[in-house]
Amino acid sequence: MVDYSKWKDIEISDDEDETHPNIDTPSLFRWRHKARVERMEEQKKEREEYLRAKEQNERKLREARRKLQESEKNGVENLTELKCVLKDLEEEAENLRKKDFELQKKEKVTPWNVDTISHSGFSKTVINKAPPRKKDDEESEEERVNKMQEFIKENKENLKRYGMLHKYDDSKLFLQEHPHLVSENTANYLVIWCIDLQVEGKSDLMEHVAHQCICMQYILELSKQLDVDPRACVPSFFSRIQVADPEYKKSFEDELLGFKERVRKRAREKIDEAIREAEEEERKKRLGPGGLDPVEVFESLPPEMKKCFESENIGMLQEVIAKMPEEEACYHMKRCVDSGMWIPDAAKKKDDEGVAGNEESKIEEVADEGDAKKADDSAAR
């Protein structure tokens, strides 16, 4: 049995070509990359904060010891305060040493990747003659999409069965019985399924499938780093995760929590996108002959004109138009025409549209009468 413990969990490199293009342009790569970068930045920040605190503590310790020695030489009677300060600083130094130990343990269980793995002094690992990992770099994007669609069509039932499994032993046995499922296509399908479940509001089921998805991704990433067929990594991964120490399991759980949060975020984005698309589609359906939205035009009208359209009071509308400045009246009436709220050529359509044409001709008459009334008022002035 090969001991893979020294490899821990090696994260995939930042190569977009290694990710199937059918994952939402390509969200799977972005999520993996973003999660790894954020985790590394957080660890770097923790280490930098520790180093600053350690340097500051050491400086204060040196100063406190110097003052205590000078006070003892000068025969100062009351040294209690200086000794208390020194004691507090020594306790702080001990806490910092514990913090350093915790950081080292956390860094030890962090999955390796191309940015953190060593390039020198690398020990030799002998692997039993496992088949090499299949290369698909030469496939075109269209070929990959078609290949994944065909894969899902042929294996959808088994993919869902794997996603619903709960125990590690059951998952291991199922993948050994269906080795063709150990592939990037399975991981991609599970990611899409998780997002769809979250969009549908099935959060509990999403979290269950997310666990299975992370297991598959760990297997694939180890396979890519060792350059062996993913099927050869199935027994090793499940043996490793079942007997893992608390730190390793915590690292796995942290990766799972991060993945679920990214799924929730993407689901919210998809819901918002769907709402925006529906609103835009509805808005396009409302557009008038001039390309304006009647809802937007109505909201931009003066309050007096709004009341006229709300009450459908033609007489009131005539009076409002007559009282308004000519330039302002033309501006609003043109927008009403472009949005379909006002139909200026209704009279011409009278013969073709029957009763509807008669009603529209009345609207046209309103505009004409409003203009005439405005002209009379101007003449009177």
Side-chain angles (χ1 to χ4, degrees):
M1 174 66 68
V2 179
D3 181 12
Y4 287 92
S5 61
K6 66 181 296 183
W7 292 91
K8 301 165 70 177
D9 291 280
I10 305 170
E11 293 187 305
I12 189 170
S13 86
D14 298 337
D15 183 0
E16 292 191 55
D17 291 335
E18 292 289 338
T19 305
H20 198 284
N22 202 36
I23 297 297
D24 209 4
T25 57
S27 57
L28 179 60
F29 162 74
R30 294 199 303 270
W31 294 336
R32 288 177 176 171
H33 174 75
K34 184 178 179 181
R36 182 176 65 78
V37 171
E38 289 178 351
R39 183 168 57 247
M40 291 177 63
E41 287 296 330
E42 183 179 353
Q43 291 180 353
K44 180 180 178 182
K45 184 179 179 181
E46 289 179 350
R47 174 58 66 178
E48 290 175 351
E49 290 177 351
Y50 159 75
L51 292 175
R52 283 196 296 269
K54 180 182 178 183
E55 181 180 357
Q56 186 178 12
N57 175 261
E58 291 176 347
R59 185 175 65 254
K60 290 181 178 179
L61 269 175
R62 289 194 298 269
E63 184 67 18
R65 287 167 180 163
R66 183 184 63 79
K67 289 182 179 180
L68 183 60
Q69 289 177 357
E70 291 178 355
S71 299
E72 289 176 344
K73 288 181 180 179
N74 296 332
V76 177
E77 296 181 0
N78 189 6
L79 303 177
T80 305
E81 183 177 351
L82 288 175
K83 290 181 178 179
C84 289
V85 172
L86 181 60
K87 183 179 179 182
D88 292 340
L89 290 173
E90 289 174 344
E91 291 179 353
E92 183 181 349
E94 180 63 25
N95 291 332
L96 286 172
R97 281 192 288 271
K98 293 179 180 179
K99 177 67 174 179
D100 183 33
F101 179 72
E102 293 175 358
L103 289 176
Q104 290 179 11
K105 287 200 303 182
K106 187 174 181 180
E107 292 166 358
K108 184 178 179 181
V109 299
T110 299
W112 292 358
N113 56 68
V114 292
D115 295 324
T116 58
I117 194 169
S118 176
H119 293 282
S120 61
F122 202 66
S123 60
K124 181 180 179 181
T125 302
V126 179
I127 303 175
N128 293 336
K129 202 91 169 166
R133 186 170 63 93
K134 295 181 179 180
K135 304 291 184 180
D136 56 359
D137 298 340
E138 298 180 356
E139 290 182 343
S140 67
E141 189 168 312
E142 183 178 358
E143 289 174 339
R144 291 186 182 184
V145 172
N146 293 335
K147 185 178 178 180
M148 180 175 178
Q149 291 176 345
E150 187 65 25
F151 176 84
I152 294 175
K153 181 178 179 181
E154 295 177 354
N155 301 282
K156 191 170 185 178
E157 182 178 350
N158 283 332
L159 289 171
K160 287 186 174 292
R161 286 179 59 192
Y162 167 75
M164 297 299 292
L165 295 176
H166 179 70
K167 297 180 179 179
Y168 286 124
D169 287 334
D170 294 339
S171 298
K172 175 183 176 181
L173 180 61
F174 187 81
L175 291 178
Q176 288 177 325
E177 292 176 349
H178 304 83
H180 62 285
L181 296 183
V182 187
S183 70
E184 195 77 30
N185 287 332
T186 295
N188 293 343
Y189 173 79
L190 294 175
V191 170
I192 297 172
W193 191 16
C194 285
I195 296 173
D196 290 341
L197 289 172
Q198 186 63 30
V199 169
E200 295 170 6
K202 301 176 181 178
S203 298
D204 293 339
L205 185 55
M206 180 278 290
E207 293 184 1
H208 183 88
V209 177
H211 179 274
Q212 296 298 94
C213 182
I214 292 298
C215 289
M216 180 60 64
Q217 290 184 8
Y218 266 54
I219 294 171
L220 295 173
E221 290 166 7
L222 181 61
S223 159
K224 290 171 182 176
Q225 185 61 35
L226 300 180
D227 196 25
V228 297
D229 192 294
R231 293 171 291 184
C233 298
V234 171
S236 300
F237 165 73
F238 285 106
S239 298
R240 169 69 168 154
I241 193 65
Q242 285 179 290
V243 299
D245 53 69
E247 287 81 5
Y248 178 83
K249 287 186 177 179
K250 183 178 183 302
S251 177
F252 180 88
E253 291 299 325
D254 289 343
E255 184 69 22
L256 177 59
L257 289 174
F259 174 75
K260 289 189 287 190
E261 182 57 34
R262 292 190 293 276
V263 167
R264 295 189 186 98
K265 180 179 179 181
R266 179 55 188 155
R268 289 193 295 268
E269 291 173 352
K270 290 194 69 173
I271 292 173
D272 292 342
E273 290 172 4
I275 293 174
R276 286 195 297 270
E277 290 176 0
E279 291 176 346
E280 180 62 20
E281 186 66 24
E282 185 64 26
R283 192 187 73 84
K284 288 180 179 179
K285 292 179 180 179
R286 294 195 305 261
L287 295 182
L292 296 184
D293 183 355
V295 175
E296 296 177 1
V297 171
F298 178 81
E299 292 299 326
S300 68
L301 292 176
E304 297 80 5
M305 290 189 71
K306 283 185 180 180
K307 292 179 181 179
C308 296
F309 280 99
E310 287 176 344
S311 61
E312 300 181 359
N313 191 321
I314 297 177
M316 184 188 301
L317 183 59
Q318 293 173 349
E319 294 178 1
V320 170
I321 293 175
K323 293 178 181 179
M324 291 176 64
E326 183 177 354
E327 184 177 350
E328 182 181 356
C330 291
Y331 169 76
H332 288 298
M333 292 307 300
K334 183 179 185 306
R335 287 172 56 82
C336 289
V337 171
D338 291 341
S339 66
M341 294 175 60
W342 192 273
I343 306 176
D345 59 346
K348 298 179 182 179
K349 300 179 181 179
K350 177 178 179 181
D351 295 336
D352 297 333
E353 299 182 6
V355 178
N358 291 333
E359 183 63 28
E360 290 170 348
S361 64
K362 292 180 181 179
I363 297 176
E364 185 183 37
E365 291 171 3
V366 171
D368 295 339
E369 292 176 9
D371 293 340
K373 187 174 182 180
K374 184 181 295 185
D376 294 341
D377 291 343
S378 297
R381 288 195 294 270

